[in-house]
Amino acid sequence: MNCVDDFRLRLGQHELVPIVIGGMGVDISTAELALEAARLGGVGHISDAMVPTVSDRRYKTHFVKEKLKQYKYNVANDDKKDVQFDLAILAEATQLHVGRTMEAKRGSGLIFVNCMEKLTMNAPKETLRVRMRAALDAGIDGITLAAGLHLGSFALIEDHPRFRDAKLGIIVSSLRALQLFLKKSARTQRLPDYVVIEGPLAGGHLGFGMDWAQYDLHTIVAEIRAWLAAEQLDIPLIPAGGIFTGSDAVDFLANGAAAVQVATRFTVAKECGLPDDVKQEYYKASEEDIEVNGISPTGYPMRMLKNSPAIGDGIRPNCEAYGYILDANGNCQYIQAYNREVAAHPGAKKVKVWDKTCLCTQMRNFELWTCGHYTYRLKDTTRRHADGSYALLTAAHIFDDYRFSKDNAIALPVVAEAAP
Ligand SMILES: Cc1cc2nc3c(=O)[nH]c(=O)nc-3n(C[C@H](O)[C@H](O)[C@H](O)COP(=O)(O)O)c2cc1C
Protein backbone atom coordinates (compact mmCIF):
# COMPACT_ATOMS: atom_id res chain seq x y z
CA MET A 1 0.00 0.00 0.00
CA ASN A 2 2.12 2.89 -1.08
CA CYS A 3 -0.05 5.19 -3.09
CA VAL A 4 -3.50 6.64 -2.55
CA ASP A 5 -4.92 4.59 -5.40
CA ASP A 6 -4.33 1.43 -3.37
CA PHE A 7 -7.21 2.54 -1.11
CA ARG A 8 -10.90 3.15 -1.63
CA LEU A 9 -13.49 5.23 0.22
CA ARG A 10 -16.75 3.35 0.74
CA LEU A 11 -19.84 5.48 1.29
CA GLY A 12 -22.97 3.33 1.11
CA GLN A 13 -22.89 1.58 -2.25
CA HIS A 14 -20.30 4.03 -3.63
CA GLU A 15 -16.67 3.05 -4.00
CA LEU A 16 -14.56 6.14 -4.50
CA VAL A 17 -11.01 7.30 -4.96
CA PRO A 18 -10.31 8.50 -1.40
CA ILE A 19 -9.60 12.11 -2.34
CA VAL A 20 -12.08 14.80 -1.31
CA ILE A 21 -11.56 18.33 -2.56
CA GLY A 22 -12.76 20.53 0.30
CA GLY A 23 -15.29 23.32 -0.01
CA MET A 24 -13.77 26.75 -0.57
CA GLY A 25 -16.27 29.55 -0.14
CA VAL A 26 -17.33 32.11 -2.16
CA ASP A 27 -16.97 30.05 -5.32
CA ILE A 28 -13.27 29.29 -4.99
CA SER A 29 -14.18 25.61 -5.15
CA THR A 30 -16.20 26.12 -8.31
CA ALA A 31 -18.57 23.72 -9.97
CA GLU A 32 -15.83 23.10 -12.56
CA LEU A 33 -13.39 22.01 -9.86
CA ALA A 34 -15.91 19.80 -8.09
CA LEU A 35 -16.97 18.26 -11.40
CA GLU A 36 -13.38 17.26 -12.15
CA ALA A 37 -13.10 15.49 -8.79
CA ALA A 38 -16.32 13.60 -9.51
CA ARG A 39 -15.27 12.74 -13.05
CA LEU A 40 -12.05 11.27 -11.72
CA GLY A 41 -13.90 9.13 -9.18
CA GLY A 42 -13.37 11.20 -6.05
CA VAL A 43 -15.50 13.71 -4.16
CA GLY A 44 -15.73 17.40 -5.02
CA HIS A 45 -17.38 20.20 -3.08
CA ILE A 46 -19.17 23.28 -4.17
CA SER A 47 -20.04 25.83 -1.49
CA ASP A 48 -23.30 27.58 -0.76
CA ALA A 49 -21.55 30.61 0.73
CA MET A 50 -23.17 33.80 -0.62
CA VAL A 51 -25.06 31.69 -3.11
CA PRO A 52 -27.29 34.51 -4.46
CA THR A 53 -24.10 36.41 -5.32
CA VAL A 54 -22.59 33.34 -6.94
CA SER A 55 -25.78 32.73 -8.88
CA ASP A 56 -25.75 36.31 -10.18
CA ARG A 57 -22.20 35.91 -11.43
CA ARG A 58 -22.64 32.45 -12.91
CA TYR A 59 -26.24 32.43 -14.09
CA LYS A 60 -26.93 36.12 -14.69
CA THR A 61 -29.64 36.44 -12.06
CA HIS A 62 -30.09 39.77 -10.22
CA PHE A 63 -30.69 38.65 -6.66
CA VAL A 64 -28.14 40.98 -5.03
CA LYS A 65 -29.26 44.06 -6.92
CA GLU A 66 -32.85 43.38 -5.98
CA LYS A 67 -32.01 42.88 -2.31
CA LEU A 68 -30.05 46.12 -2.25
CA LYS A 69 -32.94 47.93 -3.93
CA GLN A 70 -35.37 46.59 -1.34
CA TYR A 71 -33.22 47.69 1.62
CA LYS A 72 -31.55 50.78 0.19
CA TYR A 73 -33.37 52.96 2.73
CA ASN A 74 -31.35 51.23 5.48
CA VAL A 75 -27.81 51.70 4.12
CA ALA A 76 -26.91 54.52 6.50
CA ASN A 77 -28.56 52.81 9.46
CA ASP A 78 -26.30 50.93 11.90
CA ASP A 79 -29.15 48.64 12.84
CA LYS A 80 -29.42 45.87 10.24
CA LYS A 81 -32.24 43.90 11.88
CA ASP A 82 -34.60 44.69 9.00
CA VAL A 83 -32.28 43.37 6.32
CA GLN A 84 -33.72 39.88 6.02
CA PHE A 85 -33.10 37.37 3.26
CA ASP A 86 -36.10 36.38 1.19
CA LEU A 87 -36.19 32.63 1.81
CA ALA A 88 -37.82 31.85 -1.53
CA ILE A 89 -34.99 33.63 -3.35
CA LEU A 90 -32.40 31.88 -1.22
CA ALA A 91 -33.95 28.55 -2.17
CA GLU A 92 -34.06 29.53 -5.84
CA ALA A 93 -30.40 30.57 -5.89
CA THR A 94 -29.32 27.38 -4.13
CA GLN A 95 -31.35 25.20 -6.46
CA LEU A 96 -29.90 26.95 -9.45
CA HIS A 97 -26.29 26.53 -8.34
CA VAL A 98 -26.66 22.97 -7.08
CA GLY A 99 -29.01 21.89 -9.86
CA ARG A 100 -26.83 23.14 -12.71
CA THR A 101 -23.78 21.54 -11.15
CA MET A 102 -25.48 18.18 -10.68
CA GLU A 103 -26.81 18.22 -14.25
CA ALA A 104 -23.24 18.57 -15.49
CA LYS A 105 -21.87 15.74 -13.35
CA ARG A 106 -20.11 12.90 -15.16
CA GLY A 107 -18.23 9.92 -13.81
CA SER A 108 -18.54 7.77 -10.73
CA GLY A 109 -17.59 10.34 -8.10
CA LEU A 110 -19.81 12.47 -5.89
CA ILE A 111 -20.49 16.16 -5.39
CA PHE A 112 -21.21 17.58 -1.96
CA VAL A 113 -22.03 21.09 -0.83
CA ASN A 114 -20.12 22.82 1.98
CA CYS A 115 -22.63 24.47 4.27
CA MET A 116 -21.24 26.83 6.92
CA GLU A 117 -23.29 27.46 10.05
CA LYS A 118 -21.41 30.69 10.74
CA LEU A 119 -23.17 32.25 7.77
CA THR A 120 -25.95 33.24 10.12
CA MET A 121 -27.64 35.53 7.60
CA ASN A 122 -29.75 37.51 10.11
CA ALA A 123 -31.94 34.43 10.75
CA PRO A 124 -29.62 31.50 11.43
CA LYS A 125 -32.09 28.64 11.68
CA GLU A 126 -34.47 29.66 8.95
CA THR A 127 -31.79 30.37 6.36
CA LEU A 128 -29.77 27.22 7.13
CA ARG A 129 -32.90 25.11 6.85
CA VAL A 130 -33.70 26.57 3.43
CA ARG A 131 -30.11 26.21 2.20
CA MET A 132 -29.90 22.53 3.12
CA ARG A 133 -33.38 21.61 1.91
CA ALA A 134 -32.92 23.39 -1.41
CA ALA A 135 -29.61 21.58 -1.98
CA LEU A 136 -31.30 18.24 -1.29
CA ASP A 137 -34.19 19.17 -3.58
CA ALA A 138 -31.73 19.98 -6.35
CA GLY A 139 -30.12 16.55 -6.12
CA ILE A 140 -26.87 17.19 -4.27
CA ASP A 141 -25.09 13.91 -3.41
CA GLY A 142 -24.22 15.09 0.10
CA ILE A 143 -23.92 17.98 2.55
CA THR A 144 -20.82 18.73 4.59
CA LEU A 145 -21.71 20.74 7.69
CA ALA A 146 -18.90 23.24 8.25
CA ALA A 147 -17.84 26.23 10.38
CA GLY A 148 -19.96 25.61 13.44
CA LEU A 149 -21.09 22.95 15.88
CA HIS A 150 -24.31 22.27 13.93
CA LEU A 151 -26.04 20.91 17.01
CA GLY A 152 -29.48 21.41 15.49
CA SER A 153 -28.70 20.99 11.78
CA PHE A 154 -29.84 17.38 11.30
CA ALA A 155 -33.15 18.25 12.96
CA LEU A 156 -33.72 21.00 10.39
CA ILE A 157 -33.90 18.44 7.59
CA GLU A 158 -35.03 15.26 9.34
CA ASP A 159 -38.43 15.36 7.64
CA HIS A 160 -36.90 15.81 4.18
CA PRO A 161 -37.45 12.76 1.94
CA ARG A 162 -33.73 12.58 1.22
CA PHE A 163 -32.61 12.82 4.88
CA ARG A 164 -31.57 9.16 4.97
CA ASP A 165 -30.42 8.74 1.39
CA ALA A 166 -28.17 11.80 0.91
CA LYS A 167 -24.70 11.59 2.41
CA LEU A 168 -24.39 13.87 5.41
CA GLY A 169 -21.11 14.68 7.12
CA ILE A 170 -19.64 17.18 9.52
CA ILE A 171 -16.29 18.92 9.91
CA VAL A 172 -14.88 18.88 13.44
CA SER A 173 -11.53 19.88 14.89
CA SER A 174 -11.80 18.01 18.19
CA LEU A 175 -13.28 14.90 19.76
CA ARG A 176 -15.35 17.15 22.01
CA ALA A 177 -17.05 18.82 19.04
CA LEU A 178 -17.87 15.43 17.56
CA GLN A 179 -19.25 14.13 20.85
CA LEU A 180 -21.48 17.18 21.21
CA PHE A 181 -22.78 16.83 17.66
CA LEU A 182 -23.54 13.12 18.06
CA LYS A 183 -25.28 13.71 21.37
CA LYS A 184 -27.45 16.51 20.04
CA SER A 185 -28.32 14.69 16.80
CA ALA A 186 -29.00 11.30 18.43
CA ARG A 187 -32.73 12.00 18.48
CA THR A 188 -32.82 11.96 14.66
CA GLN A 189 -31.58 8.33 14.72
CA ARG A 190 -29.01 9.08 12.10
CA LEU A 191 -25.23 9.04 12.33
CA PRO A 192 -23.15 11.16 9.98
CA ASP A 193 -21.96 9.20 6.94
CA TYR A 194 -18.47 10.65 7.35
CA VAL A 195 -16.57 12.98 9.64
CA VAL A 196 -13.97 15.38 8.29
CA ILE A 197 -11.35 16.04 10.95
CA GLU A 198 -9.79 19.38 10.14
CA GLY A 199 -6.46 20.16 11.78
CA PRO A 200 -4.75 23.50 12.41
CA LEU A 201 -2.92 23.77 9.05
CA ALA A 202 -6.07 24.11 6.92
CA GLY A 203 -7.19 27.11 4.91
CA GLY A 204 -10.25 29.22 5.61
CA HIS A 205 -11.56 29.54 9.17
CA LEU A 206 -9.97 27.36 11.83
CA GLY A 207 -11.79 25.40 14.50
CA PHE A 208 -9.06 26.36 16.98
CA GLY A 209 -8.14 29.47 18.93
CA MET A 210 -5.03 31.54 18.30
CA ASP A 211 -3.13 28.69 20.00
CA TRP A 212 -3.74 26.60 16.87
CA ALA A 213 -0.03 25.77 16.52
CA GLN A 214 -0.18 23.57 19.63
CA TYR A 215 -2.49 21.09 17.95
CA ASP A 216 -1.62 18.27 15.61
CA LEU A 217 -3.90 16.56 13.11
CA HIS A 218 -2.48 13.04 13.62
CA THR A 219 -3.12 13.26 17.37
CA ILE A 220 -6.71 14.47 16.95
CA VAL A 221 -7.46 11.76 14.37
CA ALA A 222 -6.03 9.04 16.65
CA GLU A 223 -8.07 10.31 19.58
CA ILE A 224 -11.31 10.36 17.61
CA ARG A 225 -10.62 6.94 16.10
CA ALA A 226 -9.98 5.39 19.50
CA TRP A 227 -13.14 6.89 20.97
CA LEU A 228 -15.33 5.73 18.06
CA ALA A 229 -13.86 2.21 18.36
CA ALA A 230 -14.60 2.17 22.08
CA GLU A 231 -18.18 3.28 21.36
CA GLN A 232 -18.42 0.68 18.57
CA LEU A 233 -19.30 3.38 16.09
CA ASP A 234 -18.14 2.84 12.54
CA ILE A 235 -17.98 6.23 10.81
CA PRO A 236 -15.51 6.94 7.98
CA LEU A 237 -12.94 9.52 9.06
CA ILE A 238 -11.51 12.05 6.63
CA PRO A 239 -8.50 14.04 7.91
CA ALA A 240 -7.86 17.48 6.41
CA GLY A 241 -5.31 20.26 6.73
CA GLY A 242 -1.73 20.20 5.51
CA ILE A 243 -1.94 16.98 3.51
CA PHE A 244 0.26 18.16 0.69
CA THR A 245 1.52 15.02 -1.09
CA GLY A 246 0.12 11.62 -1.94
CA SER A 247 2.48 10.18 0.66
CA ASP A 248 1.07 12.49 3.35
CA ALA A 249 -2.33 11.08 2.41
CA VAL A 250 -1.10 7.46 2.51
CA ASP A 251 0.16 8.07 6.07
CA PHE A 252 -3.41 8.70 7.15
CA LEU A 253 -5.05 6.06 4.93
CA ALA A 254 -2.68 3.35 6.18
CA ASN A 255 -3.68 4.30 9.72
CA GLY A 256 -7.37 3.80 9.21
CA ALA A 257 -8.57 7.03 7.60
CA ALA A 258 -11.25 6.46 4.96
CA ALA A 259 -10.13 9.34 2.71
CA VAL A 260 -8.36 12.69 2.93
CA GLN A 261 -9.76 16.15 2.31
CA VAL A 262 -7.44 18.56 0.52
CA ALA A 263 -7.77 22.09 -0.82
CA THR A 264 -4.65 24.26 -0.91
CA ARG A 265 -3.01 22.34 -3.77
CA PHE A 266 -6.12 23.07 -5.87
CA THR A 267 -6.06 26.85 -5.33
CA VAL A 268 -3.71 27.10 -8.31
CA ALA A 269 -5.80 24.87 -10.55
CA LYS A 270 -7.18 26.34 -13.72
CA GLU A 271 -10.67 25.33 -12.54
CA CYS A 272 -10.32 27.10 -9.18
CA GLY A 273 -12.42 30.27 -8.90
CA LEU A 274 -9.66 32.64 -7.76
CA PRO A 275 -8.63 35.15 -10.44
CA ASP A 276 -5.40 34.18 -12.21
CA ASP A 277 -3.41 37.10 -10.78
CA VAL A 278 -4.41 36.00 -7.27
CA LYS A 279 -3.26 32.46 -8.05
CA GLN A 280 0.16 33.97 -8.80
CA GLU A 281 0.13 35.56 -5.31
CA TYR A 282 -0.47 32.13 -3.81
CA TYR A 283 2.43 30.71 -5.80
CA LYS A 284 4.76 33.55 -4.84
CA ALA A 285 4.05 33.38 -1.11
CA SER A 286 6.81 32.39 1.27
CA GLU A 287 6.21 31.01 4.75
CA GLU A 288 6.53 34.48 6.35
CA ASP A 289 3.84 35.83 4.03
CA ILE A 290 1.12 33.71 5.65
CA GLU A 291 -0.61 34.48 8.95
CA VAL A 292 -3.49 33.38 11.12
CA ASN A 293 -5.36 36.42 12.40
CA GLY A 294 -8.59 37.46 14.03
CA ILE A 295 -10.03 39.81 11.42
CA SER A 296 -12.93 37.56 10.42
CA PRO A 297 -16.11 38.89 12.03
CA THR A 298 -17.24 35.29 12.58
CA GLY A 299 -14.97 35.15 15.62
CA TYR A 300 -12.96 32.23 14.22
CA PRO A 301 -9.27 32.68 13.43
CA MET A 302 -8.59 32.61 9.71
CA ARG A 303 -5.42 31.90 7.74
CA MET A 304 -4.55 34.22 4.87
CA LEU A 305 -1.80 35.90 2.89
CA LYS A 306 -0.55 38.99 4.72
CA ASN A 307 -0.72 41.03 1.54
CA SER A 308 -4.47 40.42 1.11
CA PRO A 309 -5.98 43.77 0.06
CA ALA A 310 -8.82 43.12 2.54
CA ILE A 311 -6.54 43.64 5.55
CA GLY A 312 -7.05 47.18 6.88
CA ASP A 313 -9.51 48.08 4.12
CA GLY A 314 -12.18 50.21 5.81
CA ILE A 315 -15.00 49.92 3.33
CA ARG A 316 -18.56 50.72 4.32
CA PRO A 317 -20.47 47.61 5.44
CA ASN A 318 -22.51 46.25 2.58
CA CYS A 319 -25.14 44.31 4.53
CA GLU A 320 -28.09 45.52 2.46
CA ALA A 321 -26.63 43.77 -0.58
CA TYR A 322 -24.95 40.86 1.26
CA GLY A 323 -25.34 40.49 5.03
CA TYR A 324 -24.26 36.86 5.32
CA ILE A 325 -22.51 37.28 8.68
CA LEU A 326 -25.32 39.18 10.41
CA ASP A 327 -26.24 37.31 13.57
CA ALA A 328 -29.76 36.65 14.84
CA ASN A 329 -29.95 40.27 16.02
CA GLY A 330 -28.67 41.90 12.87
CA ASN A 331 -25.14 42.50 14.18
CA CYS A 332 -21.76 41.90 12.60
CA GLN A 333 -18.47 42.64 14.39
CA TYR A 334 -17.26 44.57 11.35
CA ILE A 335 -20.07 47.12 11.64
CA GLN A 336 -18.94 48.07 15.14
CA ALA A 337 -15.28 48.24 14.11
CA TYR A 338 -16.09 50.38 11.10
CA ASN A 339 -18.33 52.77 13.05
CA ARG A 340 -15.67 53.16 15.73
CA GLU A 341 -13.10 54.25 13.12
CA VAL A 342 -15.54 56.60 11.40
CA ALA A 343 -16.33 58.24 14.75
CA ALA A 344 -12.61 58.54 15.56
CA HIS A 345 -11.80 60.20 12.21
CA PRO A 346 -14.53 62.73 11.53
CA GLY A 347 -14.40 64.10 8.02
CA ALA A 348 -12.04 61.41 6.73
CA LYS A 349 -12.94 60.21 3.24
CA LYS A 350 -11.74 56.70 3.91
CA VAL A 351 -10.91 54.97 7.19
CA LYS A 352 -8.64 52.05 7.96
CA VAL A 353 -10.09 49.16 9.92
CA TRP A 354 -7.42 46.73 11.07
CA ASP A 355 -9.10 44.52 13.63
CA LYS A 356 -12.03 43.26 11.53
CA THR A 357 -12.83 42.90 7.86
CA CYS A 358 -16.02 43.14 5.81
CA LEU A 359 -15.89 39.44 5.03
CA CYS A 360 -18.80 39.38 2.56
CA THR A 361 -17.55 42.11 0.25
CA GLN A 362 -13.92 41.08 0.50
CA MET A 363 -14.59 37.40 -0.22
CA ARG A 364 -17.01 38.33 -2.99
CA ASN A 365 -14.28 40.42 -4.64
CA PHE A 366 -11.46 37.89 -4.03
CA GLU A 367 -9.60 40.47 -1.94
CA LEU A 368 -9.20 38.24 1.11
CA TRP A 369 -6.68 35.58 0.15
CA THR A 370 -7.36 32.80 2.59
CA CYS A 371 -5.04 29.85 2.19
CA GLY A 372 -3.62 26.76 3.85
CA HIS A 373 -0.39 26.70 5.86
CA TYR A 374 1.58 25.00 3.08
CA THR A 375 0.69 27.56 0.42
CA TYR A 376 4.39 28.46 0.40
CA ARG A 377 5.11 25.04 -1.08
CA LEU A 378 2.87 25.54 -4.12
CA LYS A 379 5.77 26.97 -6.12
CA ASP A 380 7.39 23.52 -5.91
CA THR A 381 4.43 21.93 -7.68
CA THR A 382 4.79 23.62 -11.06
CA ARG A 383 7.10 25.12 -13.67
CA ARG A 384 7.77 28.77 -14.41
CA HIS A 385 7.16 30.55 -17.67
CA ALA A 386 9.90 32.59 -19.33
CA ASP A 387 8.37 35.79 -17.86
CA GLY A 388 8.78 34.41 -14.33
CA SER A 389 5.10 33.65 -13.77
CA TYR A 390 4.10 30.21 -12.57
CA ALA A 391 2.17 27.80 -14.79
CA LEU A 392 -1.32 27.03 -13.57
CA LEU A 393 -2.17 23.35 -13.30
CA THR A 394 -5.20 21.38 -14.32
CA ALA A 395 -7.28 19.95 -11.50
CA ALA A 396 -6.82 16.53 -13.10
CA HIS A 397 -3.03 16.86 -12.86
CA ILE A 398 -3.18 17.71 -9.15
CA PHE A 399 -5.77 15.01 -8.45
CA ASP A 400 -3.71 12.36 -10.23
CA ASP A 401 -0.57 13.49 -8.44
CA TYR A 402 -2.29 12.89 -5.09
CA ARG A 403 -3.66 9.62 -6.38
CA PHE A 404 -0.57 8.00 -7.85
CA SER A 405 2.51 9.69 -6.40
CA LYS A 406 4.90 7.79 -4.15
CA ASP A 407 7.80 8.62 -1.83
CA ASN A 408 6.67 12.20 -1.27
CA ALA A 409 7.27 13.02 -4.91
CA ILE A 410 5.30 15.79 -6.58
CA ALA A 411 4.85 15.41 -10.33
CA LEU A 412 5.61 18.61 -12.20
CA PRO A 413 3.34 19.22 -15.17
CA VAL A 414 4.62 18.40 -18.61
CA VAL A 415 4.30 21.59 -20.58
CA ALA A 416 1.10 20.44 -22.28
CA GLU A 417 -0.52 19.78 -18.87
CA ALA A 418 0.17 23.23 -17.56
CA ALA A 419 -2.91 25.28 -18.26
CA PRO A 420 -2.26 28.32 -20.47
C1 LIG B 1 -8.91 29.12 -0.22
C2 LIG B 1 -9.59 28.23 0.80
C3 LIG B 1 -10.91 28.49 1.16
C4 LIG B 1 -11.56 27.64 2.07
N1 LIG B 1 -12.86 27.88 2.35
C5 LIG B 1 -13.54 27.00 3.15
C6 LIG B 1 -14.94 27.12 3.33
O1 LIG B 1 -15.58 28.00 2.77
N2 LIG B 1 -15.57 26.22 4.14
C7 LIG B 1 -14.87 25.20 4.75
O2 LIG B 1 -15.48 24.40 5.47
N3 LIG B 1 -13.55 25.05 4.58
C8 LIG B 1 -12.88 25.90 3.78
N4 LIG B 1 -11.53 25.71 3.53
C9 LIG B 1 -10.89 24.50 4.12
C10 LIG B 1 -10.80 23.37 3.10
O3 LIG B 1 -12.07 22.93 2.70
C11 LIG B 1 -10.00 22.16 3.59
O4 LIG B 1 -10.65 21.43 4.60
C12 LIG B 1 -8.60 22.47 4.09
O5 LIG B 1 -8.07 23.64 3.55
C13 LIG B 1 -7.69 21.29 3.75
O6 LIG B 1 -6.37 21.57 4.05
P1 LIG B 1 -5.30 21.96 2.90
O7 LIG B 1 -5.77 23.24 2.35
O8 LIG B 1 -4.02 22.07 3.67
O9 LIG B 1 -5.27 20.86 1.89
C14 LIG B 1 -10.86 26.54 2.64
C15 LIG B 1 -9.53 26.33 2.27
C16 LIG B 1 -8.89 27.14 1.36
C17 LIG B 1 -7.47 26.84 0.98
Side-chain angles (χ1 to χ4, degrees), residues 63-72 75 320-321:
F63 297 133
V64 175
K65 210 165 117 197
E66 276 152 26
K67 181 165 179 255
L68 178 59
K69 203 157 88 191
Q70 183 184 356
Y71 293 114
K72 203 156 182 99
V75 166
E320 283 68 27

Side-chain angles (χ1 to χ4, degrees), residues 22-25 114 116 146 171 198 201-204 240-242 261-264 267 370 372:
M24 293 181 271
N114 180 280
M116 293 188 275
I171 303 181
E198 201 179 69
L201 304 184
Q261 175 164 295
V262 289
T264 292
T267 56
T370 183

Side-chain angles (χ1 to χ4, degrees), residues 84-316:
Q84 295 289 327
F85 280 86
D86 179 322
L87 297 179
I89 284 177
L90 187 57
E92 191 183 333
T94 307
Q95 289 196 22
L96 199 53
H97 189 38
V98 173
R100 293 279 177 93
T101 307
M102 297 312 288
E103 276 165 29
K105 193 181 108 169
R106 305 284 175 271
S108 58
L110 299 177
I111 294 188
F112 295 169
V113 63
N114 180 280
C115 205
M116 293 188 275
E117 188 175 37
K118 270 287 173 181
L119 298 185
T120 39
M121 300 171 70
N122 217 344
K125 247 188 174 176
E126 294 75 7
T127 51
L128 186 60
R129 180 192 285 120
V130 164
R131 289 156 58 194
M132 292 194 293
R133 298 180 84 90
L136 292 171
D137 289 342
I140 197 74
D141 290 320
I143 301 178
T144 301
L145 305 174
L149 291 172
H150 284 284
L151 303 183
S153 297
F154 270 12
L156 295 176
I157 49 172
E158 67 179 321
D159 61 338
H160 193 282
R162 295 196 59 217
F163 181 59
R164 284 171 207 283
D165 113 68
K167 303 287 165 238
L168 301 179
I170 180 158
I171 303 181
V172 299
S173 293
S174 68
L175 172 59
R176 176 101 189 99
L178 179 61
Q179 287 170 329
L180 270 173
F181 175 78
L182 293 177
K183 192 167 159 209
K184 292 287 180 183
S185 323
R187 195 187 53 68
T188 64
Q189 309 256 326
R190 191 204 195 292
L191 287 172
D193 298 295
Y194 57 96
V195 172
V196 177
I197 306 172
E198 201 179 69
L201 304 184
H205 291 97
L206 302 183
F208 301 87
M210 289 305 281
D211 61 347
W212 59 270
Q214 310 197 357
Y215 294 86
D216 162 65
L217 179 59
H218 281 279
T219 309
I220 304 166
V221 173
E223 203 185 0
I224 291 181
R225 205 177 52 241
W227 182 77
L228 287 175
E231 296 290 313
Q232 299 190 321
L233 292 172
D234 185 15
I235 308 175
L237 297 182
I238 306 180
I243 300 171
F244 200 77
T245 67
S247 304
D248 295 341
V250 168
D251 269 356
F252 284 104
L253 297 171
N255 279 302
V260 293
Q261 175 164 295
V262 289
T264 292
R265 289 272 313 264
F266 289 92
T267 56
V268 290
K270 181 170 69 80
E271 294 84 349
C272 161
L274 292 170
D276 285 355
D277 57 339
V278 177
K279 291 174 188 167
Q280 292 297 324
E281 298 293 333
Y282 280 54
Y283 267 135
K284 277 190 266 174
S286 59
E287 191 169 357
E288 308 75 61
D289 298 330
I290 299 163
E291 67 177 9
V292 175
N293 62 37
I295 70 169
S296 167
T298 61
Y300 286 107
M302 195 175 190
R303 179 172 279 114
M304 63 190 73
L305 296 185
K306 287 181 188 168
N307 61 341
S308 300
I311 301 177
D313 186 17
I315 52 171
R316 189 160 80 177

